[in-house]
Amino acid sequence: MNAEPPTVAPPTKPGLLGWLGVPIRLLIGGVFLWAAWAKIGPSHGPMVFSKAIEAYKLNLPDPLVTLATFGVPWTEALAGIMLILGLWTRAAASVIAAMLLLFIGLGIAAILRGLEIKCGCFGDRTLLCQGGLGWCHIGENSLMTALTLLVVACRKPALALDSITGCRSCKK
């Protein structure tokens, strides 16, 4: 039996969505890096974020509050870096989209319960929305989710380390 060697398809170039994803990746990745830094960088950052978590009145045990206080920002930082670099791009974007959906859900629940919460998303600062947690924050997170889902939908990101590393799971 004379078996033919498997043929390898030539690499495809990024399409419009792949190129559109570059500024989205930089924007969302940068926002998440900034959010992570605000929570863990300044000496008071973890305290501000921990108080914001407790303000949601979820009655979490102290170890879970501590885990969230440090786990959320490090997850944001790692996913943000990966998104900017285009390394495991779709996975990083999926993690960020999942976090944003969680933030949206928690935010809506807090608003409907009438809780007065200072977001804590960016430490003492805000992105676009001023004041305490409100519908503006839900809209802000919804917009970021939609943009991030565009990155998830892109099978061939442009200017990404995925294209150099040959990441198979990144292209599925």
Side-chain angles (χ1 to χ4, degrees), residues 9-45:
T12 59
K13 293 184 179 181
L16 177 62
L17 189 56
W19 287 104
L20 181 63
V22 174
I24 294 171
R25 286 186 3 235
L26 296 175
L27 174 71
I28 301 296
V31 166
F32 269 69
L33 277 176
W34 173 32
W37 172 252
K39 293 176 184 99
I40 56 179
S43 60
H44 65 286

Side-chain angles (χ1 to χ4, degrees), residues 64-145:
L64 282 180
V65 172
T66 302
L67 178 64
T69 298
F70 294 99
V72 168
W74 284 105
T75 302
E76 289 174 335
L78 182 60
I81 289 168
M82 290 172 61
L83 196 60
I84 289 170
L85 295 176
L87 183 60
W88 291 343
T89 307
R90 295 176 75 198
S94 296
V95 166
I96 288 175
M99 292 178 77
L100 286 164
L101 289 171
L102 174 66
F103 300 157
I104 290 167
L106 289 171
I108 290 172
I111 291 168
L112 294 178
R113 290 172 32 207
L115 299 177
E116 299 279 331
I117 297 176
K118 180 168 179 2
C119 181
C121 308
F122 299 96
D124 292 333
R125 303 212 168 147
T126 61
L127 187 58
L128 299 174
C129 304
Q130 301 300 314
L133 178 67
W135 292 109
C136 179
H137 291 90
I138 304 304
E140 184 177 88
N141 285 344
S142 297
L143 175 61
M144 286 192 291
T145 302

